[in-house]
Amino acid sequence: MAEHKTKCLIIGSGPAGYTAAIYTSRANLSPILYEGMQPGGQLTTTTEVENFPGYPDGVTGPQLMEDLKKQAERFGADLRYGAVTAVDFSKRPFSATIDNGDTVTADSVIIATGASARYLGLPDEEKYNGIGVSACATCDGFFYRGKTVAVVGGGDTACEEALYLSTLAKKVFLIVRKAALRASKVMQQRVLQKENITVLFNCNTVGLFGDEFLEGAKLVENKGTEMEQVFDIAIDGFFLAIGHTPNTEVFKPYIKLDDAGFIVTENGTTQTSVEGIFAAGDVADPRYRQAISAAGSGCRAAIDAERFLLENS
C-alpha cells in the first residue's frame, strides 16, 4: 500500500475524465486520474460514434476513448487503472482509497464517474449490445433509418426516445409493462397521435433473438393473468429507456445529490456542495448524456479546479 499526493485527483474516465485530465495537465496541476472498473466509460461499448466533432467519417467508441487518453498522457497526466472505494471529503486535503489499498490525498477533486444505463437483466441484452441493443436513441438512432425499432419504458424519457426515433425509423414499438404511460399528458398525447408509433401496453420483454444481429423480441402480454399470451415482434433495434443510475454511492455521505442520485452543481458551474470538489459528465447530467457535453463539462471542471487552487494556494 502506498500514499500519493496530487493537486488534482480525477475520479473516473470517459470523455469528461479524460478531457479534465487534458486541461489540468496543461495547467501544470499534475493530475492523477483513476479510470475505474470500465476504463473509457460507456462509450467503450459503442461500436460507431458519428456525432463527435472532429471525426467526419465517424469513429468507434473504444478508438475515441483511446485518442482522448493518449492526448491526456501527452500532456503528462498520470492515468492509473483502479477504482475509488472510499473517500473522505470532510476536510482538505481530500483523501481517497483505491481498490488496491493505496491512498491519495488531493487539494482538489473532479468526479467523473458517469452513470450506468439500467437494463432489464436479460442475457440477450449483453449478447446484442452494440449490434441491436442500445441505451441511447440520440447516439444510435441514425443507424436505424427506415427500419423498425422498439423502445422499452413508460416515462417521459421513453416517450422522448420513441418520438425521436419515429422521425428516423419506419416503425416504432413502445413497450410498456403497465396499462398506462407514466409520462406527462403532453408527451402521452404526442406518442399516441404519432402514426408510426405503436404502444404495447401490459407487455414485458422476456427475450431477444437473431442470428448475427438482432432480428426480434419475445414479449409476454398480461403476464401472470388468465389472459397471458406470448408473441414476437420483428425489430432491428431495441432501445432501453428505463433510466440511468449515477455512480455516486461512494460520495453520498459528503456530496449533495438530487432525488435520483445525480450530483448537484452550483450556479451554472461544476462546483459541488463541497468547496474544491467538482463534478463533470453524466454523473451530474441527467438530461443530455452525450459524449460531447461530457467532454465540455470536463473542460469546465478543470478550469474551475485551476481557479479554485489559485485562489486557495
Side-chain angles (χ1 to χ4, degrees):
M1 294 185 290
E3 296 184 2
H4 310 274
K5 294 182 179 179
T6 180
K7 292 180 181 178
C8 183
L9 169 65
I10 302 171
I11 305 174
S13 47
Y18 287 144
T19 301
I22 292 169
Y23 274 78
T24 50
S25 295
R26 295 183 75 251
N28 294 321
L29 299 186
S30 303
I32 295 175
L33 179 150
Y34 280 92
E35 295 182 302
M37 299 306 294
Q38 187 179 21
Q42 292 185 78
L43 274 184
T44 57
T45 65
T46 301
T47 51
E48 192 77 13
V49 180
E50 292 193 325
N51 55 1
F52 197 92
Y55 292 91
D57 298 319
V59 63
T60 66
Q63 185 60 56
L64 174 58
M65 291 302 94
E66 186 63 26
D67 289 346
L68 287 176
K69 180 177 180 178
K70 287 180 179 178
Q71 192 169 359
E73 290 176 324
R74 174 192 167 198
F75 293 113
D78 185 351
L79 308 183
R80 303 178 182 183
Y81 180 78
V84 172
T85 57
V87 297
D88 183 355
F89 292 163
S90 61
K91 60 184 183 301
R92 288 185 63 216
F94 308 112
S95 67
T97 302
I98 315 304
D99 55 4
N100 65 357
D102 287 1
T103 58
V104 180
T105 57
D107 297 319
S108 64
V109 176
I110 295 174
I111 300 171
T113 48
S116 302
R118 295 178 191 149
Y119 287 81
L120 297 175
L122 304 174
D124 296 332
E125 288 174 310
E126 185 173 346
K127 178 180 178 181
Y128 296 105
N129 195 10
I131 52 173
V133 172
S134 172
C136 181
T138 307
C139 308
D140 300 326
F142 180 82
F143 302 112
Y144 298 91
R145 293 177 66 93
K147 297 184 178 182
T148 300
V149 300
V151 177
V152 178
D156 280 329
T157 298
C159 288
E160 288 173 4
E161 301 269 88
L163 287 166
Y164 173 74
L165 288 167
S166 72
T167 67
L168 301 169
K170 175 179 65 178
K171 176 76 174 178
V172 179
F173 291 104
L174 181 58
I175 303 171
V176 184
R177 64 186 178 89
K178 295 187 177 181
L181 293 167
R182 293 182 292 103
S184 61
K185 294 296 183 182
V186 172
M187 293 302 295
Q188 290 186 41
Q189 290 174 357
R190 289 176 181 171
V191 165
L192 295 173
Q193 291 172 1
K194 192 73 174 180
E195 291 183 359
N196 64 335
I197 297 179
T198 297
V199 183
L200 301 174
F201 291 109
N202 295 312
C203 287
N204 288 274
T205 307
V206 293
L208 304 171
F209 58 87
D211 292 331
E212 295 183 17
F213 300 94
L214 178 67
E215 296 177 8
K218 185 174 292 293
L219 308 182
V220 175
E221 185 178 10
N222 299 312
K223 186 177 181 181
T225 72
E226 294 179 354
M227 297 183 292
E228 179 177 312
Q229 62 173 327
V230 179
F231 64 98
D232 295 341
I233 56 172
I235 55 173
D236 304 291
F238 185 77
F239 290 83
L240 282 303
I242 53 178
H244 286 70
T245 301
N247 302 316
T248 53
E249 187 67 29
V250 72
F251 311 117
K252 278 185 177 179
Y254 304 98
I255 301 291
K256 182 179 179 181
L257 310 176
D258 67 13
D259 292 340
F262 290 88
I263 294 177
V264 176
T265 54
E266 300 180 353
N267 302 322
T269 71
T270 63
Q271 173 67 58
T272 70
S273 58
V274 177
E275 191 176 10
I277 298 179
F278 309 90
D282 288 7
V283 74
D285 177 17
R287 183 178 180 89
Y288 298 105
R289 301 193 306 272
Q290 298 297 300
I292 188 61
S293 57
S297 67
C299 161
R300 292 166 54 220
I303 293 172
D304 286 343
E306 179 188 5
R307 290 174 178 172
F308 168 79
L309 292 172
L310 284 172
E311 294 169 359
N312 291 273
S313 59

